[in-house]
Amino acid sequence: MISISCYKLIEGRRMDITPWHERRLIEDKHRRNDHRSPYQRDRARILHSAAFRRLQAKTQVLGIGLNDFLPNSINLIRLKLAKLVPGCRAQLKQKHPEQNGLLDSMSLIESLCLAHDIGHPPFGHGGEVALNYMMRDHGGFEGNGQTFRILTRIEPYTEYYGMNLCRRTLLGILKYPAPYSLLYRKQPRKDVNHFRQLKPSQWPPVKGLFDDDLEILDWVLAPLSESDKAMFLSHQLIDGSAHRRTQYKSFDCSIMELADDIAYAVHDLEDAIVMGIVSREQWLIDVEDRLKQSKDDWIKNEFTTIGERLFSSKHHLRKDAIGTLVNGFVTAISITENTRFEEPLLRYNAALEAAFDEALEILKQFVYRYVIRKPEIQMLEYKGQQIVMELFEAFISDPERLLPINTQERWKEAQQQGLNCHRVIADYISGMTDEFAARLHQHLFSPKSGSMIELNREL
């Protein structure tokens, strides 16, 4: 390990070099006048990666194609970076100056927000359920696990080490730091006779990492003590959950996840209001009446009147209400401490005050009930689900005939080394955009299709 007596400038400040700055592949790059910090380098690698660019055409909460107004993943990420993350960090620095050492890099938190959606497959949750079903006997599939895999293996910044990011960046991306094999619980369910009968509720993905990537997880967690590592990897069965769930996240991950949750609840709410998906009456019953009972005076008073502005026909009033909601949540963030951990990156987490955490959960439930579960949205999700399963079935039937040449080589290499060949197909399909997957499906199964050469140029 690198001695902590060493130091360098991290984003303009003298900081100790620790094992958390290390990369799996030692780099000896001598680039002219490059004074970037390790986390600024990570941010650039993510921002310029092919996987990040593909997010532009992948479904977020509201499906692309339903309405041209809808935001995609990249737009939501920009909202988080432009509004939420700097605000969250500023609040924590102001409230907890003693922890400024943990908040030394804005680029680190930006990197996590840029990267955390990279592993999401085409067609959002529909594509995730589809790939999880097709991988049911081969280690499963889950978007966050795929993100870790892309960052550490697949993205061709290096030959074998993905983007070769810093250890702390990879620790921050671990929303569910435990392997599939420890979290999976077999569920009693009927066999699916045909893809079209598959119900997502019966095939929930395991929220964890793939067993195929365990040696990389071991490398990320190497600086931890045995007791810290054991507790960080611990898991439990939660009521209502099909599989076991991890219990802990790193400090950096907790900030990223809060920003993500606020963006999900508030900005998807705004889109739904603009599109007329939700009504003032629904808001009154499901949100306003419940939050009038809050123990926090700000929430109790603000949510009594904010609906009038949210559902106003005047654009500036609605924007003002959205800004008020964001400000309310961001200013309610503070740092909590778990004294059972030794490592500061695990000992401390960012969290919302209890009343605001409850309010955010109510907003998320509101969006889920009236937006995500809306039949028109579910139809798009169902359609994507079918496309992904049928593509997987086609490729697995004759991979050395139908897969692209470079993916065929990965398939053969996995086969020769006794590795999980099915994971190669999951990697390939999960990297597709919605449009590419739909057009490839048409090319394979429709008598009317365009040139495959032109299609491949778009991926």
Side-chain angles (χ1 to χ4, degrees), residues 76-144:
L76 280 176
I77 290 168
R78 286 171 179 161
L79 285 169
K80 283 179 277 190
L81 292 176
K83 295 182 179 181
L84 301 177
V85 177
C88 294
R89 182 170 177 262
Q91 283 294 317
L92 295 177
K93 288 176 74 71
Q94 191 275 328
K95 291 180 179 179
H96 303 275
E98 74 281 3
Q99 300 301 339
N100 278 353
L102 292 176
L103 294 158
D104 58 318
S105 174
M106 184 63 207
S107 296
L108 170 63
I109 306 300
E110 288 182 348
S111 294
L112 301 182
C113 288
L114 289 167
H116 91 284
D117 279 335
I118 276 180
H120 287 196
F123 308 111
H125 182 62
E128 183 179 51
V129 168
L131 283 175
N132 183 53
Y133 175 74
M134 301 306 291
M135 293 290 291
R136 62 194 180 279
D137 297 322
H138 305 279
F141 181 90
E142 195 269 336
N144 294 285

Side-chain angles (χ1 to χ4, degrees), residues 52-282:
F52 181 77
R53 291 196 303 272
R54 289 190 188 115
L55 285 179
Q56 185 71 40
K58 287 190 178 184
T59 299
Q60 186 66 8
V61 175
L62 298 177
I64 293 171
L66 185 66
N67 188 298
D68 290 339
F69 175 85
L70 296 180
N72 52 44
S73 296
I74 284 185
N75 285 339
L76 280 176
I77 290 168
R78 286 171 179 161
L79 285 169
K80 283 179 277 190
L81 292 176
K83 295 182 179 181
L84 301 177
V85 177
C88 294
R89 182 170 177 262
Q91 283 294 317
L92 295 177
K93 288 176 74 71
Q94 191 275 328
K95 291 180 179 179
H96 303 275
E98 74 281 3
Q99 300 301 339
N100 278 353
L102 292 176
L103 294 158
D104 58 318
S105 174
M106 184 63 207
S107 296
L108 170 63
I109 306 300
E110 288 182 348
S111 294
L112 301 182
C113 288
L114 289 167
H116 91 284
D117 279 335
I118 276 180
H120 287 196
F123 308 111
H125 182 62
E128 183 179 51
V129 168
L131 283 175
N132 183 53
Y133 175 74
M134 301 306 291
M135 293 290 291
R136 62 194 180 279
D137 297 322
H138 305 279
F141 181 90
E142 195 269 336
N144 294 285
Q146 189 67 18
T147 291
F148 185 76
R149 186 169 172 81
I150 289 171
L151 297 178
T152 60
R153 281 191 189 274
I154 298 174
E155 183 66 27
Y157 183 86
T158 63
E159 188 172 5
Y160 301 111
Y161 297 89
M163 297 187 200
N164 197 35
L165 303 179
C166 291
R167 183 185 263 116
R168 182 171 170 180
T169 304
L170 294 177
L171 178 72
I173 212 70
L174 292 175
K175 290 181 69 174
Y176 311 110
Y180 174 95
S181 56
L182 294 182
L183 304 174
Y184 173 79
R185 293 177 69 244
K186 190 172 183 179
Q187 304 297 310
R189 54 197 165 201
K190 297 180 180 179
D191 291 336
V192 177
N193 296 322
H194 192 279
F195 292 157
R196 292 179 183 175
Q197 298 176 351
L198 183 71
K199 295 180 179 179
S201 61
Q202 297 178 355
W203 295 92
V206 171
K207 292 187 177 298
L209 302 177
F210 307 136
D211 285 52
D212 303 294
D213 302 318
L214 284 185
E215 79 279 8
I216 308 175
L217 175 64
D218 288 340
W219 179 85
V220 173
L221 303 184
L224 299 178
S225 66
E226 288 302 314
S227 60
D228 271 6
K229 182 176 179 180
M231 189 158 69
F232 189 57
L233 293 173
S234 64
H235 42 83
Q236 62 183 349
L237 187 61
I238 300 174
D239 290 344
S241 178
H243 305 290
R244 300 184 70 84
R245 300 291 295 269
T246 57
Q247 303 179 75
Y248 303 106
K249 297 176 176 63
S250 71
F251 177 70
D252 304 317
C253 185
S254 69
I255 299 175
M256 178 271 290
E257 190 166 40
L258 275 179
D260 186 51
D261 281 351
I262 294 170
Y264 165 80
V266 177
H267 294 291
D268 286 346
L269 169 66
E270 181 182 16
D271 295 332
I273 291 172
V274 170
M275 295 171 59
I277 293 177
V278 295
S279 69
R280 178 75 176 86
E281 291 70 28
Q282 291 167 336

